[in-house]
Amino acid sequence: MYIYFAGDHAGFEMKEKLMEFVRSLGYEVFDMGPKVYDETDDYPDFVLPLARKIALEKETRGIVVAASGQGEIIAMNRIRGARAALLCAGPQRVALIRASRDHNDSNILAIGARFCTLDEAKQGIQMWLETPFSNAERHLRRLRKIDSL
């Protein structure tokens, strides 16, 4: 499986470390930017192309590392077929990550670099990559409704 990464200046340093981590798990990683640190960059320039790619290439996933991940999710979820979820810190993150895959077949994981440690991000990514979609009829039905918009 191919994993595409993108983000912004606030997530640049963490993104670089997480790409190496995901490679160490055996995945092929592609960096969609930013490729250099630029404090004036704008996340839509990087995350929207990633969301379009993930929506078209069904056997891929995306990971976005930015300041909060919130604006990135809002932008990416406007792309039909992109299903971005936020990696949250705290005691409920395990249940939320699993639900984002098991119930919602999320194909993009957004990480708020200002709200998540590197270790939390690594644990969350590994769990997200290893959790399959359930293919339960009720979840498929809901996804069809979303994709029809």
Side-chain angles (χ1 to χ4, degrees):
M1 179 186 315
Y2 296 113
I3 311 296
Y4 292 91
F5 273 83
D8 71 358
H9 58 279
F12 182 79
E13 185 178 326
M14 184 182 278
K15 175 179 69 90
E16 298 297 307
K17 293 174 182 173
L18 291 174
M19 286 191 307
E20 285 305 313
F21 171 71
V22 171
R23 278 188 192 101
S24 77
L25 296 176
Y27 296 94
E28 193 161 353
V29 169
F30 296 94
D31 186 358
M32 296 189 69
K35 304 239 175 129
V36 296
Y37 178 84
D38 176 0
E39 68 182 33
T40 65
D41 66 18
D42 293 323
Y43 66 82
D45 297 336
F46 306 106
V47 304
L48 289 174
L50 177 140
R52 288 183 189 103
K53 186 165 235 7
I54 299 304
L56 290 173
E57 297 179 16
K58 302 302 181 199
E59 298 303 316
T60 63
R61 295 219 202 138
I63 298 173
V64 166
V65 189
S68 71
Q70 297 288 4
E72 294 76 15
I73 286 176
I74 291 168
M76 292 183 295
N77 281 332
R78 289 177 175 239
I79 306 299
R80 183 179 300 203
R83 293 178 303 280
L86 181 66
L87 173 79
C88 298
Q92 295 301 317
R93 84 172 176 274
V94 169
L96 289 170
I97 290 167
R98 287 194 174 131
S100 82
R101 288 286 311 131
D102 181 51
H103 295 195
N104 302 301
D105 197 19
S106 64
N107 51 15
I108 303 170
L109 183 66
I111 298 166
R114 293 183 179 155
F115 298 91
C116 187
T117 68
L118 182 61
D119 284 341
E120 288 170 332
K122 286 178 178 179
Q123 291 168 1
I125 287 170
Q126 187 164 5
M127 186 180 318
W128 182 73
L129 290 170
E130 292 173 354
T131 301
F133 177 51
S134 70
N135 279 302
E137 178 51 39
R138 72 182 191 277
H139 300 312
L140 289 167
R141 181 180 67 243
R142 293 166 187 160
L143 289 175
R144 284 191 299 271
K145 289 178 181 182
I146 292 168
D147 287 341
S148 71
L149 299 175

PDB file of all heavy atoms in Angstrom, residues 23-58:
ATOM      1  N   ARG A  23       7.800   4.242   6.662  1.00  0.00           N
ATOM      2  CA  ARG A  23       8.697   3.413   5.835  1.00  0.00           C
ATOM      3  C   ARG A  23       9.179   2.205   6.628  1.00  0.00           C
ATOM      4  O   ARG A  23       9.253   1.096   6.089  1.00  0.00           O
ATOM      5  CB  ARG A  23       9.896   4.225   5.362  1.00  0.00           C
ATOM      6  CG  ARG A  23       9.650   5.065   4.160  1.00  0.00           C
ATOM      7  CD  ARG A  23      10.956   5.690   3.630  1.00  0.00           C
ATOM      8  NE  ARG A  23      10.640   6.703   2.664  1.00  0.00           N
ATOM      9  CZ  ARG A  23      10.629   8.010   2.890  1.00  0.00           C
ATOM     10  NH1 ARG A  23      10.977   8.479   4.079  1.00  0.00           N
ATOM     11  NH2 ARG A  23      10.308   8.865   1.951  1.00  0.00           N
ATOM     12  N   SER A  24       9.507   2.421   7.900  1.00  0.00           N
ATOM     13  CA  SER A  24      10.020   1.320   8.732  1.00  0.00           C
ATOM     14  C   SER A  24       8.957   0.242   8.957  1.00  0.00           C
ATOM     15  O   SER A  24       9.293  -0.890   9.288  1.00  0.00           O
ATOM     16  CB  SER A  24      10.533   1.844  10.076  1.00  0.00           C
ATOM     17  OG  SER A  24       9.465   2.141  10.962  1.00  0.00           O
ATOM     18  N   LEU A  25       7.677   0.596   8.768  1.00  0.00           N
ATOM     19  CA  LEU A  25       6.594  -0.381   8.881  1.00  0.00           C
ATOM     20  C   LEU A  25       6.411  -1.174   7.586  1.00  0.00           C
ATOM     21  O   LEU A  25       5.575  -2.071   7.517  1.00  0.00           O
ATOM     22  CB  LEU A  25       5.279   0.317   9.238  1.00  0.00           C
ATOM     23  CG  LEU A  25       5.220   1.026  10.588  1.00  0.00           C
ATOM     24  CD1 LEU A  25       3.887   1.759  10.745  1.00  0.00           C
ATOM     25  CD2 LEU A  25       5.435   0.046  11.735  1.00  0.00           C
ATOM     26  N   GLY A  26       7.168  -0.815   6.547  1.00  0.00           N
ATOM     27  CA  GLY A  26       7.124  -1.556   5.293  1.00  0.00           C
ATOM     28  C   GLY A  26       6.279  -0.939   4.203  1.00  0.00           C
ATOM     29  O   GLY A  26       6.045  -1.579   3.173  1.00  0.00           O
ATOM     30  N   TYR A  27       5.835   0.282   4.383  1.00  0.00           N
ATOM     31  CA  TYR A  27       5.006   0.954   3.375  1.00  0.00           C
ATOM     32  C   TYR A  27       5.867   1.820   2.476  1.00  0.00           C
ATOM     33  O   TYR A  27       6.905   2.336   2.900  1.00  0.00           O
ATOM     34  CB  TYR A  27       3.951   1.840   4.042  1.00  0.00           C
ATOM     35  CG  TYR A  27       2.957   1.062   4.857  1.00  0.00           C
ATOM     36  CD1 TYR A  27       3.134   0.879   6.220  1.00  0.00           C
ATOM     37  CD2 TYR A  27       1.834   0.507   4.255  1.00  0.00           C
ATOM     38  CE1 TYR A  27       2.215   0.164   6.969  1.00  0.00           C
ATOM     39  CE2 TYR A  27       0.909  -0.209   4.998  1.00  0.00           C
ATOM     40  CZ  TYR A  27       1.116  -0.383   6.354  1.00  0.00           C
ATOM     41  OH  TYR A  27       0.205  -1.091   7.089  1.00  0.00           O
ATOM     42  N   GLU A  28       5.412   1.995   1.248  1.00  0.00           N
ATOM     43  CA  GLU A  28       6.060   2.932   0.336  1.00  0.00           C
ATOM     44  C   GLU A  28       5.446   4.306   0.584  1.00  0.00           C
ATOM     45  O   GLU A  28       4.230   4.466   0.614  1.00  0.00           O
ATOM     46  CB  GLU A  28       5.864   2.507  -1.113  1.00  0.00           C
ATOM     47  CG  GLU A  28       6.767   3.256  -2.047  1.00  0.00           C
ATOM     48  CD  GLU A  28       6.929   2.564  -3.376  1.00  0.00           C
ATOM     49  OE1 GLU A  28       6.457   1.423  -3.554  1.00  0.00           O
ATOM     50  OE2 GLU A  28       7.534   3.191  -4.259  1.00  0.00           O
ATOM     51  N   VAL A  29       6.309   5.298   0.767  1.00  0.00           N
ATOM     52  CA  VAL A  29       5.889   6.631   1.186  1.00  0.00           C
ATOM     53  C   VAL A  29       6.211   7.643   0.091  1.00  0.00           C
ATOM     54  O   VAL A  29       7.282   7.600  -0.515  1.00  0.00           O
ATOM     55  CB  VAL A  29       6.615   7.018   2.495  1.00  0.00           C
ATOM     56  CG1 VAL A  29       6.417   8.478   2.836  1.00  0.00           C
ATOM     57  CG2 VAL A  29       6.140   6.129   3.636  1.00  0.00           C
ATOM     58  N   PHE A  30       5.244   8.560  -0.143  1.00  0.00           N
ATOM     59  CA  PHE A  30       5.432   9.647  -1.102  1.00  0.00           C
ATOM     60  C   PHE A  30       5.141  10.970  -0.409  1.00  0.00           C
ATOM     61  O   PHE A  30       4.109  11.105   0.260  1.00  0.00           O
ATOM     62  CB  PHE A  30       4.504   9.488  -2.303  1.00  0.00           C
ATOM     63  CG  PHE A  30       4.786   8.255  -3.101  1.00  0.00           C
ATOM     64  CD1 PHE A  30       4.091   7.083  -2.845  1.00  0.00           C
ATOM     65  CD2 PHE A  30       5.755   8.253  -4.097  1.00  0.00           C
ATOM     66  CE1 PHE A  30       4.352   5.932  -3.567  1.00  0.00           C
ATOM     67  CE2 PHE A  30       6.021   7.110  -4.826  1.00  0.00           C
ATOM     68  CZ  PHE A  30       5.317   5.947  -4.549  1.00  0.00           C
ATOM     69  N   ASP A  31       6.018  11.926  -0.575  1.00  0.00           N
ATOM     70  CA  ASP A  31       5.883  13.246   0.041  1.00  0.00           C
ATOM     71  C   ASP A  31       5.280  14.215  -0.964  1.00  0.00           C
ATOM     72  O   ASP A  31       5.877  14.520  -1.986  1.00  0.00           O
ATOM     73  CB  ASP A  31       7.256  13.739   0.497  1.00  0.00           C
ATOM     74  CG  ASP A  31       7.201  15.039   1.268  1.00  0.00           C
ATOM     75  OD1 ASP A  31       6.101  15.609   1.438  1.00  0.00           O
ATOM     76  OD2 ASP A  31       8.273  15.488   1.704  1.00  0.00           O
ATOM     77  N   MET A  32       4.087  14.717  -0.664  1.00  0.00           N
ATOM     78  CA  MET A  32       3.412  15.677  -1.539  1.00  0.00           C
ATOM     79  C   MET A  32       3.601  17.108  -1.053  1.00  0.00           C
ATOM     80  O   MET A  32       2.975  18.025  -1.553  1.00  0.00           O
ATOM     81  CB  MET A  32       1.933  15.322  -1.653  1.00  0.00           C
ATOM     82  CG  MET A  32       1.754  13.962  -2.331  1.00  0.00           C
ATOM     83  SD  MET A  32       0.054  13.586  -2.724  1.00  0.00           S
ATOM     84  CE  MET A  32      -0.278  14.775  -4.026  1.00  0.00           C
ATOM     85  N   GLY A  33       4.468  17.296  -0.087  1.00  0.00           N
ATOM     86  CA  GLY A  33       4.847  18.635   0.337  1.00  0.00           C
ATOM     87  C   GLY A  33       4.194  19.067   1.642  1.00  0.00           C
ATOM     88  O   GLY A  33       3.277  18.424   2.119  1.00  0.00           O
ATOM     89  N   PRO A  34       4.750  20.108   2.164  1.00  0.00           N
ATOM     90  CA  PRO A  34       5.861  20.874   1.620  1.00  0.00           C
ATOM     91  C   PRO A  34       7.170  20.101   1.728  1.00  0.00           C
ATOM     92  O   PRO A  34       7.352  19.311   2.643  1.00  0.00           O
ATOM     93  CB  PRO A  34       5.890  22.133   2.484  1.00  0.00           C
ATOM     94  CG  PRO A  34       5.268  21.718   3.781  1.00  0.00           C
ATOM     95  CD  PRO A  34       4.273  20.655   3.444  1.00  0.00           C
ATOM     96  N   LYS A  35       8.033  20.364   0.779  1.00  0.00           N
ATOM     97  CA  LYS A  35       9.315  19.654   0.758  1.00  0.00           C
ATOM     98  C   LYS A  35      10.420  20.438   1.459  1.00  0.00           C
ATOM     99  O   LYS A  35      11.470  19.890   1.770  1.00  0.00           O
ATOM    100  CB  LYS A  35       9.716  19.353  -0.685  1.00  0.00           C
ATOM    101  CG  LYS A  35       8.622  18.565  -1.415  1.00  0.00           C
ATOM    102  CD  LYS A  35       9.086  17.259  -1.920  1.00  0.00           C
ATOM    103  CE  LYS A  35       7.916  16.501  -2.503  1.00  0.00           C
ATOM    104  NZ  LYS A  35       8.101  15.992  -3.793  1.00  0.00           N
ATOM    105  N   VAL A  36      10.164  21.714   1.701  1.00  0.00           N
ATOM    106  CA  VAL A  36      11.073  22.559   2.481  1.00  0.00           C
ATOM    107  C   VAL A  36      10.242  23.374   3.456  1.00  0.00           C
ATOM    108  O   VAL A  36       9.062  23.649   3.209  1.00  0.00           O
ATOM    109  CB  VAL A  36      11.917  23.504   1.589  1.00  0.00           C
ATOM    110  CG1 VAL A  36      12.834  22.717   0.679  1.00  0.00           C
ATOM    111  CG2 VAL A  36      11.035  24.438   0.788  1.00  0.00           C
ATOM    112  N   TYR A  37      10.858  23.771   4.546  1.00  0.00           N
ATOM    113  CA  TYR A  37      10.159  24.574   5.539  1.00  0.00           C
ATOM    114  C   TYR A  37       9.959  25.989   5.008  1.00  0.00           C
ATOM    115  O   TYR A  37      10.907  26.636   4.579  1.00  0.00           O
ATOM    116  CB  TYR A  37      10.947  24.606   6.848  1.00  0.00           C
ATOM    117  CG  TYR A  37      10.275  25.469   7.886  1.00  0.00           C
ATOM    118  CD1 TYR A  37       9.261  24.948   8.677  1.00  0.00           C
ATOM    119  CD2 TYR A  37      10.630  26.796   8.057  1.00  0.00           C
ATOM    120  CE1 TYR A  37       8.617  25.733   9.620  1.00  0.00           C
ATOM    121  CE2 TYR A  37       9.997  27.593   8.995  1.00  0.00           C
ATOM    122  CZ  TYR A  37       8.994  27.054   9.761  1.00  0.00           C
ATOM    123  OH  TYR A  37       8.355  27.838  10.686  1.00  0.00           O
ATOM    124  N   ASP A  38       8.710  26.446   5.029  1.00  0.00           N
ATOM    125  CA  ASP A  38       8.374  27.818   4.628  1.00  0.00           C
ATOM    126  C   ASP A  38       7.230  28.269   5.521  1.00  0.00           C
ATOM    127  O   ASP A  38       6.095  27.819   5.362  1.00  0.00           O
ATOM    128  CB  ASP A  38       7.961  27.865   3.159  1.00  0.00           C
ATOM    129  CG  ASP A  38       7.498  29.226   2.697  1.00  0.00           C
ATOM    130  OD1 ASP A  38       7.477  30.187   3.517  1.00  0.00           O
ATOM    131  OD2 ASP A  38       7.119  29.347   1.525  1.00  0.00           O
ATOM    132  N   GLU A  39       7.533  29.173   6.447  1.00  0.00           N
ATOM    133  CA  GLU A  39       6.521  29.575   7.425  1.00  0.00           C
ATOM    134  C   GLU A  39       5.326  30.305   6.818  1.00  0.00           C
ATOM    135  O   GLU A  39       4.324  30.527   7.498  1.00  0.00           O
ATOM    136  CB  GLU A  39       7.136  30.407   8.540  1.00  0.00           C
ATOM    137  CG  GLU A  39       7.627  31.771   8.093  1.00  0.00           C
ATOM    138  CD  GLU A  39       8.274  32.551   9.218  1.00  0.00           C
ATOM    139  OE1 GLU A  39       8.887  31.928  10.095  1.00  0.00           O
ATOM    140  OE2 GLU A  39       8.161  33.782   9.200  1.00  0.00           O
ATOM    141  N   THR A  40       5.396  30.642   5.540  1.00  0.00           N
ATOM    142  CA  THR A  40       4.277  31.331   4.895  1.00  0.00           C
ATOM    143  C   THR A  40       3.448  30.414   3.992  1.00  0.00           C
ATOM    144  O   THR A  40       2.569  30.893   3.278  1.00  0.00           O
ATOM    145  CB  THR A  40       4.772  32.528   4.067  1.00  0.00           C
ATOM    146  OG1 THR A  40       5.580  32.046   2.984  1.00  0.00           O
ATOM    147  CG2 THR A  40       5.581  33.498   4.917  1.00  0.00           C
ATOM    148  N   ASP A  41       3.713  29.114   4.022  1.00  0.00           N
ATOM    149  CA  ASP A  41       2.963  28.227   3.130  1.00  0.00           C
ATOM    150  C   ASP A  41       1.505  28.116   3.565  1.00  0.00           C
ATOM    151  O   ASP A  41       1.131  28.504   4.674  1.00  0.00           O
ATOM    152  CB  ASP A  41       3.623  26.852   3.006  1.00  0.00           C
ATOM    153  CG  ASP A  41       3.619  26.028   4.283  1.00  0.00           C
ATOM    154  OD1 ASP A  41       2.845  26.314   5.212  1.00  0.00           O
ATOM    155  OD2 ASP A  41       4.402  25.068   4.352  1.00  0.00           O
ATOM    156  N   ASP A  42       0.674  27.630   2.669  1.00  0.00           N
ATOM    157  CA  ASP A  42      -0.753  27.459   2.910  1.00  0.00           C
ATOM    158  C   ASP A  42      -1.115  25.990   2.736  1.00  0.00           C
ATOM    159  O   ASP A  42      -0.911  25.420   1.658  1.00  0.00           O
ATOM    160  CB  ASP A  42      -1.576  28.300   1.934  1.00  0.00           C
ATOM    161  CG  ASP A  42      -1.402  29.793   2.164  1.00  0.00           C
ATOM    162  OD1 ASP A  42      -1.294  30.215   3.334  1.00  0.00           O
ATOM    163  OD2 ASP A  42      -1.365  30.544   1.173  1.00  0.00           O
ATOM    164  N   TYR A  43      -1.682  25.378   3.771  1.00  0.00           N
ATOM    165  CA  TYR A  43      -1.973  23.946   3.737  1.00  0.00           C
ATOM    166  C   TYR A  43      -2.845  23.503   2.562  1.00  0.00           C
ATOM    167  O   TYR A  43      -2.640  22.403   2.055  1.00  0.00           O
ATOM    168  CB  TYR A  43      -2.556  23.461   5.072  1.00  0.00           C
ATOM    169  CG  TYR A  43      -3.911  24.020   5.418  1.00  0.00           C
ATOM    170  CD1 TYR A  43      -5.076  23.467   4.891  1.00  0.00           C
ATOM    171  CD2 TYR A  43      -4.036  25.084   6.297  1.00  0.00           C
ATOM    172  CE1 TYR A  43      -6.319  23.977   5.202  1.00  0.00           C
ATOM    173  CE2 TYR A  43      -5.279  25.600   6.618  1.00  0.00           C
ATOM    174  CZ  TYR A  43      -6.412  25.044   6.071  1.00  0.00           C
ATOM    175  OH  TYR A  43      -7.639  25.550   6.385  1.00  0.00           O
ATOM    176  N   PRO A  44      -3.823  24.302   2.063  1.00  0.00           N
ATOM    177  CA  PRO A  44      -4.620  23.795   0.938  1.00  0.00           C
ATOM    178  C   PRO A  44      -3.776  23.444  -0.289  1.00  0.00           C
ATOM    179  O   PRO A  44      -4.144  22.546  -1.055  1.00  0.00           O
ATOM    180  CB  PRO A  44      -5.590  24.939   0.626  1.00  0.00           C
ATOM    181  CG  PRO A  44      -5.715  25.682   1.921  1.00  0.00           C
ATOM    182  CD  PRO A  44      -4.333  25.608   2.524  1.00  0.00           C
ATOM    183  N   ASP A  45      -2.649  24.126  -0.461  1.00  0.00           N
ATOM    184  CA  ASP A  45      -1.785  23.860  -1.616  1.00  0.00           C
ATOM    185  C   ASP A  45      -1.221  22.448  -1.591  1.00  0.00           C
ATOM    186  O   ASP A  45      -0.849  21.909  -2.641  1.00  0.00           O
ATOM    187  CB  ASP A  45      -0.633  24.872  -1.669  1.00  0.00           C
ATOM    188  CG  ASP A  45      -1.123  26.289  -1.867  1.00  0.00           C
ATOM    189  OD1 ASP A  45      -2.232  26.476  -2.407  1.00  0.00           O
ATOM    190  OD2 ASP A  45      -0.394  27.225  -1.462  1.00  0.00           O
ATOM    191  N   PHE A  46      -1.168  21.832  -0.429  1.00  0.00           N
ATOM    192  CA  PHE A  46      -0.593  20.495  -0.286  1.00  0.00           C
ATOM    193  C   PHE A  46      -1.639  19.425   0.001  1.00  0.00           C
ATOM    194  O   PHE A  46      -1.571  18.324  -0.527  1.00  0.00           O
ATOM    195  CB  PHE A  46       0.476  20.494   0.816  1.00  0.00           C
ATOM    196  CG  PHE A  46       1.524  21.544   0.603  1.00  0.00           C
ATOM    197  CD1 PHE A  46       1.547  22.701   1.379  1.00  0.00           C
ATOM    198  CD2 PHE A  46       2.465  21.410  -0.401  1.00  0.00           C
ATOM    199  CE1 PHE A  46       2.505  23.677   1.175  1.00  0.00           C
ATOM    200  CE2 PHE A  46       3.424  22.384  -0.619  1.00  0.00           C
ATOM    201  CZ  PHE A  46       3.440  23.524   0.170  1.00  0.00           C
ATOM    202  N   VAL A  47      -2.604  19.755   0.855  1.00  0.00           N
ATOM    203  CA  VAL A  47      -3.549  18.717   1.274  1.00  0.00           C
ATOM    204  C   VAL A  47      -4.648  18.453   0.257  1.00  0.00           C
ATOM    205  O   VAL A  47      -5.155  17.333   0.180  1.00  0.00           O
ATOM    206  CB  VAL A  47      -4.145  19.005   2.670  1.00  0.00           C
ATOM    207  CG1 VAL A  47      -3.023  19.182   3.699  1.00  0.00           C
ATOM    208  CG2 VAL A  47      -5.088  20.190   2.681  1.00  0.00           C
ATOM    209  N   LEU A  48      -5.035  19.447  -0.527  1.00  0.00           N
ATOM    210  CA  LEU A  48      -6.066  19.197  -1.540  1.00  0.00           C
ATOM    211  C   LEU A  48      -5.565  18.274  -2.653  1.00  0.00           C
ATOM    212  O   LEU A  48      -6.284  17.344  -3.034  1.00  0.00           O
ATOM    213  CB  LEU A  48      -6.624  20.506  -2.084  1.00  0.00           C
ATOM    214  CG  LEU A  48      -7.499  21.269  -1.076  1.00  0.00           C
ATOM    215  CD1 LEU A  48      -7.896  22.629  -1.632  1.00  0.00           C
ATOM    216  CD2 LEU A  48      -8.724  20.467  -0.690  1.00  0.00           C
ATOM    217  N   PRO A  49      -4.344  18.471  -3.178  1.00  0.00           N
ATOM    218  CA  PRO A  49      -3.841  17.480  -4.144  1.00  0.00           C
ATOM    219  C   PRO A  49      -3.739  16.077  -3.540  1.00  0.00           C
ATOM    220  O   PRO A  49      -4.025  15.088  -4.211  1.00  0.00           O
ATOM    221  CB  PRO A  49      -2.472  18.026  -4.543  1.00  0.00           C
ATOM    222  CG  PRO A  49      -2.573  19.496  -4.325  1.00  0.00           C
ATOM    223  CD  PRO A  49      -3.452  19.638  -3.101  1.00  0.00           C
ATOM    224  N   LEU A  50      -3.352  15.981  -2.264  1.00  0.00           N
ATOM    225  CA  LEU A  50      -3.296  14.674  -1.619  1.00  0.00           C
ATOM    226  C   LEU A  50      -4.695  14.061  -1.574  1.00  0.00           C
ATOM    227  O   LEU A  50      -4.872  12.892  -1.923  1.00  0.00           O
ATOM    228  CB  LEU A  50      -2.736  14.807  -0.201  1.00  0.00           C
ATOM    229  CG  LEU A  50      -2.695  13.503   0.601  1.00  0.00           C
ATOM    230  CD1 LEU A  50      -1.424  13.408   1.411  1.00  0.00           C
ATOM    231  CD2 LEU A  50      -3.908  13.365   1.510  1.00  0.00           C
ATOM    232  N   ALA A  51      -5.701  14.821  -1.169  1.00  0.00           N
ATOM    233  CA  ALA A  51      -7.059  14.290  -1.070  1.00  0.00           C
ATOM    234  C   ALA A  51      -7.571  13.833  -2.435  1.00  0.00           C
ATOM    235  O   ALA A  51      -8.224  12.792  -2.537  1.00  0.00           O
ATOM    236  CB  ALA A  51      -7.990  15.346  -0.474  1.00  0.00           C
ATOM    237  N   ARG A  52      -7.272  14.582  -3.481  1.00  0.00           N
ATOM    238  CA  ARG A  52      -7.692  14.179  -4.833  1.00  0.00           C
ATOM    239  C   ARG A  52      -7.034  12.861  -5.234  1.00  0.00           C
ATOM    240  O   ARG A  52      -7.666  11.990  -5.817  1.00  0.00           O
ATOM    241  CB  ARG A  52      -7.362  15.280  -5.831  1.00  0.00           C
ATOM    242  CG  ARG A  52      -8.257  16.490  -5.705  1.00  0.00           C
ATOM    243  CD  ARG A  52      -7.960  17.546  -6.775  1.00  0.00           C
ATOM    244  NE  ARG A  52      -8.695  18.750  -6.473  1.00  0.00           N
ATOM    245  CZ  ARG A  52      -8.162  19.849  -5.938  1.00  0.00           C
ATOM    246  NH1 ARG A  52      -6.866  19.917  -5.681  1.00  0.00           N
ATOM    247  NH2 ARG A  52      -8.923  20.904  -5.681  1.00  0.00           N
ATOM    248  N   LYS A  53      -5.760  12.723  -4.920  1.00  0.00           N
ATOM    249  CA  LYS A  53      -5.025  11.497  -5.260  1.00  0.00           C
ATOM    250  C   LYS A  53      -5.597  10.303  -4.509  1.00  0.00           C
ATOM    251  O   LYS A  53      -5.838   9.251  -5.099  1.00  0.00           O
ATOM    252  CB  LYS A  53      -3.539  11.675  -4.948  1.00  0.00           C
ATOM    253  CG  LYS A  53      -2.678  10.523  -5.396  1.00  0.00           C
ATOM    254  CD  LYS A  53      -1.250  10.946  -5.388  1.00  0.00           C
ATOM    255  CE  LYS A  53      -0.461  10.807  -6.609  1.00  0.00           C
ATOM    256  NZ  LYS A  53      -0.956  10.420  -7.865  1.00  0.00           N
ATOM    257  N   ILE A  54      -5.848  10.460  -3.221  1.00  0.00           N
ATOM    258  CA  ILE A  54      -6.380   9.365  -2.415  1.00  0.00           C
ATOM    259  C   ILE A  54      -7.781   8.982  -2.899  1.00  0.00           C
ATOM    260  O   ILE A  54      -8.133   7.805  -2.955  1.00  0.00           O
ATOM    261  CB  ILE A  54      -6.404   9.748  -0.923  1.00  0.00           C
ATOM    262  CG1 ILE A  54      -4.992  10.039  -0.396  1.00  0.00           C
ATOM    263  CG2 ILE A  54      -7.091   8.672  -0.085  1.00  0.00           C
ATOM    264  CD1 ILE A  54      -3.988   8.936  -0.570  1.00  0.00           C
ATOM    265  N   ALA A  55      -8.589   9.970  -3.265  1.00  0.00           N
ATOM    266  CA  ALA A  55      -9.947   9.688  -3.738  1.00  0.00           C
ATOM    267  C   ALA A  55      -9.930   8.896  -5.040  1.00  0.00           C
ATOM    268  O   ALA A  55     -10.810   8.069  -5.271  1.00  0.00           O
ATOM    269  CB  ALA A  55     -10.713  10.998  -3.924  1.00  0.00           C
ATOM    270  N   LEU A  56      -8.929   9.115  -5.878  1.00  0.00           N
ATOM    271  CA  LEU A  56      -8.837   8.423  -7.166  1.00  0.00           C
ATOM    272  C   LEU A  56      -8.159   7.065  -7.061  1.00  0.00           C
ATOM    273  O   LEU A  56      -8.501   6.141  -7.792  1.00  0.00           O
ATOM    274  CB  LEU A  56      -8.070   9.279  -8.174  1.00  0.00           C
ATOM    275  CG  LEU A  56      -8.791  10.527  -8.667  1.00  0.00           C
ATOM    276  CD1 LEU A  56      -7.858  11.367  -9.528  1.00  0.00           C
ATOM    277  CD2 LEU A  56     -10.052  10.153  -9.423  1.00  0.00           C
ATOM    278  N   GLU A  57      -7.186   6.935  -6.192  1.00  0.00           N
ATOM    279  CA  GLU A  57      -6.399   5.701  -6.064  1.00  0.00           C
ATOM    280  C   GLU A  57      -6.884   4.948  -4.827  1.00  0.00           C
ATOM    281  O   GLU A  57      -6.427   5.193  -3.724  1.00  0.00           O
ATOM    282  CB  GLU A  57      -4.910   6.031  -5.969  1.00  0.00           C
ATOM    283  CG  GLU A  57      -4.367   6.713  -7.212  1.00  0.00           C
ATOM    284  CD  GLU A  57      -2.887   7.058  -7.114  1.00  0.00           C
ATOM    285  OE1 GLU A  57      -2.186   6.515  -6.222  1.00  0.00           O
ATOM    286  OE2 GLU A  57      -2.437   7.872  -7.929  1.00  0.00           O
ATOM    287  N   LYS A  58      -7.779   4.030  -5.017  1.00  0.00           N
ATOM    288  CA  LYS A  58      -8.488   3.379  -3.913  1.00  0.00           C
ATOM    289  C   LYS A  58      -7.590   2.568  -2.974  1.00  0.00           C
ATOM    290  O   LYS A  58      -7.932   2.380  -1.826  1.00  0.00           O
ATOM    291  CB  LYS A  58      -9.598   2.466  -4.463  1.00  0.00           C
ATOM    292  CG  LYS A  58     -10.609   3.199  -5.315  1.00  0.00           C
ATOM    293  CD  LYS A  58     -11.266   4.328  -4.564  1.00  0.00           C
ATOM    294  CE  LYS A  58     -12.283   5.020  -5.440  1.00  0.00           C
ATOM    295  NZ  LYS A  58     -12.645   6.348  -4.998  1.00  0.00           N
TER     296      LYS A  58
END
